Amino acid sequence: MKKHGILNSHISKILSDLGHTDYIVVADIGLPIPSGVPKIDLALTYGIPAFQQVVDLIADDMVIEKVILAEEIRTDNVPQANYMEKKFLGTPMEWCTHEKFKELSRHAKVIIRTGEATPYANCILQAGVHFG
């Protein structure tokens, strides 16, 4: 049994299998899951687990070279936008329309569905490389 880190075996395996530039999506309860993209559903009830909790845990265990967010989060969910900008300070961030975000999510290795029930609380985390 693991001593620390992510205990969810599905998430742990996905993170171990990621290659450079692969995408994973951390999503709220409303993001549509594209056909053919695996989903890891963590949602227990509204708000549990929270988007920020899941992002924090994944960020501790993943080399992230870029974060992609929907532009709409800036106006329709300012607290989550502020959290993401602070959390990934120094990491390149890309902003796109929510429609474009949904298109990009079709290329994800997995979508991790949280219990988050606030608008546009979704992000694409692009894997980087850890040498050394």
Side-chain angles (χ1 to χ4, degrees), residues 2-124:
K2 283 182 73 171
K3 237 172 124 172
H4 52 79
I6 294 174
L7 298 178
N8 181 291
S9 61
H10 303 291
I11 295 173
S12 188
K13 177 159 180 27
I14 287 287
L15 294 178
S16 295
D17 289 345
L18 288 176
H20 186 217
T21 73
D22 284 345
Y23 287 169
I24 67 166
V25 175
V26 179
D28 61 28
I29 59 173
L31 187 72
I33 309 299
S35 180
V37 177
K39 172 179 74 172
I40 299 172
D41 195 344
L42 302 178
L44 297 174
T45 190
Y46 288 100
I48 299 172
F51 174 74
Q52 292 181 18
Q53 290 174 307
V54 176
V55 170
D56 283 344
L57 289 168
I58 290 172
D60 285 347
D61 209 17
M62 178 182 173
V63 178
I64 299 168
E65 72 175 14
K66 181 169 70 172
V67 176
I68 302 170
L69 299 163
E71 295 166 347
E72 291 87 346
I73 196 173
R74 288 176 159 166
T75 55
D76 295 346
N77 198 340
V78 174
Q80 296 290 17
N82 290 342
Y83 158 78
M84 291 298 290
E85 288 178 337
K86 183 178 177 182
K87 176 73 181 174
F88 293 103
L89 188 64
T91 302
M93 296 187 94
E94 185 178 308
W95 303 86
C96 61
T97 66
H98 187 59
E99 288 305 312
K100 176 70 174 176
F101 184 95
K102 289 188 286 188
E103 287 176 33
L104 291 172
S105 72
R106 292 182 187 144
H107 304 287
K109 295 292 182 182
V110 71
I111 295 179
I112 301 169
R113 182 175 178 248
T114 69
E116 188 64 46
T118 63
Y120 305 105
N122 307 295
C123 66
I124 295 173

